[in-house]
């Protein structure tokens, strides 16, 4: 299970055999991940067996009785063990008594047979409702016919007036029809809103424009797919225009700084001389010193800008071919999407699996919240269910499962993309590609490499889980910790975030190496790292230029979607508030564009790794023909590719591309 000690790691020479041999990789990690998933399922089974799931779905009162069922008596809890077969709904005496810290209702809960369908203003109305409908809204020990005269009515009966309510779908909770009292909870969550009327208008605007929001997000989806197809045609112009603008901006900024320095040097002394007769000698000396200091500062700025510009020009001079390689990789990535159009559907599949898992995770977490032993509150006597002993660590295990399984699903997407792109790259005759390369990649993943994906996602979990925990602690201690502790927490969070990003990039290339050579995670990570280090300048150029181009693509999609949103929302005059819907539109457009362009970015990174391996072990001579596309030939290392170009004869095996 470790990275050291295996025969593969100690092998002195690495032989790359693309797509030739397949074998299971990291089988112990697959078994470990399977056992972990069984544990996650066991938590769900525990909540069902101990009644936590039933309490959440059917509801329970403040004495430990599950509504709609015959209950057993709980030791030491009065009014427990009641038969609530006919009482199927949960009713809160004061639904507006909200704990803003715990985000829950603190009021006493009762099981009732019917939610009040009209507003009840007096205790006489409570008595009439109970006698006519058989639904007692006060505590069980109080007789309904004596509601108006009982002294306990102020504590054990609902707060007047009782609002009209109806049961929530599926959850059997009586919820007030007018939810104005819940605005306090909403304001606590949405802290930037201080006026309830503003909050209501914003929510109404979002609700009224939900169709527009969905339509504009679909527009962002279409724009993202179009951009992935046409970026191969505009990448050349876009990259070189951006490069030219950076160089011109640097030259212009340097020139302006030198001009300011020379101008201040020539005319600054005249200004000081003109001002000095009106001031005393000390003030004149201060002005002269300020002028000298400003001259020195401008000289330092101009010198630093000059050095930066010279370094930038030298980098552009020596790395122009590597910038051209980035353009070529974008061009080939566009071809990949034309040959493998199902790549564009992978974000939908991944999102579907993530949503299904997240829904299951939240449901089990809610089950855990109603599981455990009944614990009466010392002050109020109300019963809450809490996990005791070792069972209190189940939510932590469940939280780790959220991170690991989510990362596992994302890693499966990366491995699937890598497998499909590797198949495309290392198939000389593109006409012989499998009918469904994406499906073939998924089958190889499921059959051979789930252990590798489990191991890579676990490494990310080891870094991400502590970072999320530190972020939680930072939010909980906000305003109470000292400056040193706050700085230390932020530093640790930042370091873990940087480490996570580096490991994500290395994992992605390790998955590609596994897809090529069917090696274990550690061997693949080592081989990919060696290849990347040997091509460090190319990697830096591709990441810098490529990421910036894709970022501009995201900005373009968000801008176009926002512009369309302004036109549509402004056209619909019935929308009183459309600022918040526009924010949702921009956020949705960015998320959609990020999902699709991230797939494009993965394709480019995998293509580069394949290209680096191809140029390292092949030179275009007979027996060592290149696999690469013709657009990449002139960027190959060594003289092989250039030799064929100079002779006017590309390798025969690549004429199909």
């Amino acid at each position: 299970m470790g990275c050291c000690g295996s025969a593969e790691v100690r092998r002195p020479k690495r032989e790359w055999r693309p797509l030739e041999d397949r074998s299971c990789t990291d089988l112990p990690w697959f078994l470990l991940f399977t056992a972990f998933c069984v544990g996650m399922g066991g938590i769900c089974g525990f909540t069902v067996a101990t009644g936590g799931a039933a309490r959440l779905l059917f509801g329970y009162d403040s004495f430990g009785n599950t509504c709609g069922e015959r209950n057993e008596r709980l030791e030491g809890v009065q009014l427990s063990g009641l038969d609530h077969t006919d009482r199927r709904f949960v009713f809160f005496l004061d639904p507006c008594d909200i704990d803003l810290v715990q985000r829950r209702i603190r009021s006493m809960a009762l099981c009732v047979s019917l939610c009040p369908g009209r507003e009840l203003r007096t205790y006489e109305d409570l008595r009439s409702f109970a006698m006519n409908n058989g639904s007692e809204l006060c505590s069980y020990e109080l007789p309904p016919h004596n509601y108006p005269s009982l002294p306990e009515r102020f504590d054990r009966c609902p707060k007047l007036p009782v609002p009209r309510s109806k049961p929530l779908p599926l959850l059997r909770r009586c919820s007030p029809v007018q939810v104005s009292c819940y605005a306090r909870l909403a304001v606590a969550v949405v802290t930037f809103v201080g006026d309830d009327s503003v909050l209501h208008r914003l929510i109404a605007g979002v609700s009224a424009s939900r169709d527009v929001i969905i339509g504009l997000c679909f527009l962002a989806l279409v724009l993202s797919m179009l951009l992935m197809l046409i970026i191969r045609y505009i990448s050349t112009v876009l990259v070189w225009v951006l490069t030219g603008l950076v160089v011109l901006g640097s030259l212009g900024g340097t020139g302006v700084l030198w001009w300011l320095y020379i101008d201040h040097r020539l005319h600054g002394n005249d200004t000081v001389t003109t001002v000095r007769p009106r001031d005393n000698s000390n003030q004149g000396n201060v002005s002269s010193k300020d002028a000298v200091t400003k001259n020195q500062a401008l000289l330092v700025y101009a010198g630093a800008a000059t050095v930066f510009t010279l370094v930038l020009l030298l980098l552009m001079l020596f790395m122009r071919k590597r910038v051209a390689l980035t353009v070529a990789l974008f061009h080939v990535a566009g071809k990949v999407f034309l040959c493998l159009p199902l790549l564009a559907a992978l974000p939908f599949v991944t999102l579907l699996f993530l949503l299904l898992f997240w829904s299951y995770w939240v449901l089990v977490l809610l089950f855990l919240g109603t599981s455990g032993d009944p614990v009466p509150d010392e002050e109020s006597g109300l019963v809450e269910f809490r996990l005791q002993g070792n069972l209190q660590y189940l939510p932590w295990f469940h939280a780790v499962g959220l991170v690991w399984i989510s990362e596992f699903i994302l890693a499966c997407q990366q491995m699937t993309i890598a497998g499909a792109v590797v198949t495309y790259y290392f198939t000389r005759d593109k006409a012989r590609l499998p009918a469904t390369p994406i499906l073939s990649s998924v089958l190889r993943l499921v059959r051979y490499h789930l252990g590798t994906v489990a191991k890579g996602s676990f490494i990310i979990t080891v870094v991400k889980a502590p970072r999320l925990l530190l972020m939680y602690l930072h939010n909980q201690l906000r305003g109470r910790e000292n400056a040193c502790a706050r700085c230390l927490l932020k530093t640790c969070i930042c370091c873990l975030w940087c480490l996570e990003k580096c490991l994500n990039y290395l994992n992605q290339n390790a998955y590609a190496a596994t897809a090529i050579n069917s090696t274990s995670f550690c061997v693949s990570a080592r081989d990919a790292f060696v290849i990347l280090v040997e091509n460090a300048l190319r990697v830096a150029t591709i990441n810098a230029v490529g990421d910036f181009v894709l970022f501009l693509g995201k900005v373009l999609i968000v801008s176009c979607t926002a512009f369309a949103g302004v036109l549509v929302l402004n056209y619909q005059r019935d929308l009183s508030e459309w600022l918040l819907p526009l924010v949702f539109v921009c956020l949705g457009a960015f998320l959609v564009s990020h999902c699709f362009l991230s797939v494009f970015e993965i394709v480019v990174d995998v293509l580069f790794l394949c290209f680096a391996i191809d140029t390292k072990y092949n030179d275009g001579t007979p027996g060592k023909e290149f696999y690469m596309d013709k657009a990449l030939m002139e960027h190959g290392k060594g003289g092989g590719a250039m030799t064929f170009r100079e002779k006017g004869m590309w390798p025969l095996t690549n004429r199909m591309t």
Side-chain angles (χ1 to χ4, degrees), residues 308-323:
F308 174 80
T309 302
L310 290 176
V311 172
L312 181 63
L313 290 176
L314 290 175
L315 286 176
M316 292 300 175
L317 179 63
F318 288 107
M319 299 182 68
R320 63 187 186 281
K321 291 184 178 179
R322 294 179 177 86
V323 175

Side-chain angles (χ1 to χ4, degrees), residues 230-295:
I230 67 174
I231 198 171
R232 57 180 293 199
Y233 302 108
I234 65 174
S235 58
T236 303
V237 176
L238 186 60
V239 168
W240 288 116
V241 167
L242 290 175
T243 304
L245 289 176
V246 170
V247 173
L248 290 177
S250 179
L251 290 173
T254 303
V256 169
L257 286 174
W258 280 113
W259 177 78
L260 290 174
Y261 169 72
I262 295 173
D263 180 72
H264 195 273
R265 175 120 185 197
L266 293 177
H267 304 289
N269 293 332
D270 297 339
T271 304
V272 174
T273 303
T274 304
V275 173
R276 185 176 297 173
R278 299 183 181 181
D279 301 330
N280 57 37
S281 59
N282 292 332
Q283 291 175 337
N285 292 333
V286 171
S287 300
S288 179
K289 290 180 180 179
D290 291 341
V292 172
T293 302
K294 191 172 183 179
N295 278 337

Side-chain angles (χ1 to χ4, degrees), residues 138-320:
C138 293
S139 186
Y140 305 130
E141 75 274 14
L142 302 182
H145 59 277
N146 290 335
Y147 281 170
S149 59
L150 291 174
E152 297 92 345
R153 66 183 183 276
F154 299 106
D155 297 327
R156 314 293 284 183
C157 287
K159 181 180 178 181
L160 298 178
V162 179
R164 184 170 67 93
S165 61
K166 61 180 181 179
L168 291 173
L170 302 178
L171 294 180
R172 298 184 181 180
R173 268 73 170 178
C174 294
S175 174
V177 176
Q178 299 293 334
V179 292
S180 58
C181 63
Y182 295 154
R184 290 181 60 240
L185 182 61
V187 171
V189 177
V190 188
T191 56
F192 64 88
V193 178
D195 184 7
D196 290 353
S197 62
V198 174
L199 175 64
H200 294 158
R201 289 202 306 269
L202 292 177
I203 295 177
V206 173
S207 177
S209 58
R210 59 183 181 275
D211 295 334
V212 176
I213 295 175
I214 296 174
L216 291 174
C217 289
F218 181 76
L219 173 63
L221 168 65
V222 174
L223 292 176
S224 300
M225 299 180 69
L226 288 176
L227 183 61
M228 287 192 300
L229 293 177
I230 67 174
I231 198 171
R232 57 180 293 199
Y233 302 108
I234 65 174
S235 58
T236 303
V237 176
L238 186 60
V239 168
W240 288 116
V241 167
L242 290 175
T243 304
L245 289 176
V246 170
V247 173
L248 290 177
S250 179
L251 290 173
T254 303
V256 169
L257 286 174
W258 280 113
W259 177 78
L260 290 174
Y261 169 72
I262 295 173
D263 180 72
H264 195 273
R265 175 120 185 197
L266 293 177
H267 304 289
N269 293 332
D270 297 339
T271 304
V272 174
T273 303
T274 304
V275 173
R276 185 176 297 173
R278 299 183 181 181
D279 301 330
N280 57 37
S281 59
N282 292 332
Q283 291 175 337
N285 292 333
V286 171
S287 300
S288 179
K289 290 180 180 179
D290 291 341
V292 172
T293 302
K294 191 172 183 179
N295 278 337
Q296 293 176 347
L298 287 173
L299 179 60
V300 171
Y301 296 153
T306 303
V307 173
F308 174 80
T309 302
L310 290 176
V311 172
L312 181 63
L313 290 176
L314 290 175
L315 286 176
M316 292 300 175
L317 179 63
F318 288 107
M319 299 182 68
R320 63 187 186 281

Side-chain angles (χ1 to χ4, degrees), residues 12 34 85 103 106 189 210 225 253 329 399 453 465 501 569 612 656:
T34 302
T85 306
R103 306 293 197 270
R106 294 179 296 192
V189 177
R210 59 183 181 275
M225 299 180 69
L329 286 172
V453 172
K501 293 300 179 183
L569 294 172
M656 294 299 297

Side-chain angles (χ1 to χ4, degrees), residues 396 466-478 480-481 489 493:
W396 291 101
R467 180 175 66 84
L468 296 177
L469 178 60
L470 290 177
M471 292 175 62
Y472 172 77
L473 292 176
H474 181 263
N475 290 331
Q476 292 297 314
L477 298 176
R478 180 171 296 174
R480 288 180 286 179
E481 78 279 18
L489 276 175
I493 292 171

Side-chain angles (χ1 to χ4, degrees), residues 476-540:
Q476 292 297 314
L477 298 176
R478 180 171 296 174
R480 288 180 286 179
E481 78 279 18
N482 56 38
C484 182
R486 182 168 59 252
C487 180
L488 183 61
L489 276 175
K490 290 184 177 180
T491 302
C492 293
I493 292 171
C494 181
C495 292
L496 288 174
W497 181 83
C498 294
L499 179 60
E500 181 185 337
K501 293 300 179 183
C502 294
L503 290 176
N504 265 321
Y505 183 72
L506 183 60
N507 278 11
Q508 179 181 304
N509 286 278
Y511 299 147
T514 299
I516 295 173
N517 235 23
S518 190
T519 49
S520 63
F521 177 83
C522 289
V523 176
S524 299
R526 183 202 63 182
D527 295 339
F529 181 76
V530 171
I531 293 293
L532 294 176
V533 170
E534 291 175 350
N535 297 268
L537 290 179
R538 285 174 169 174
V539 172

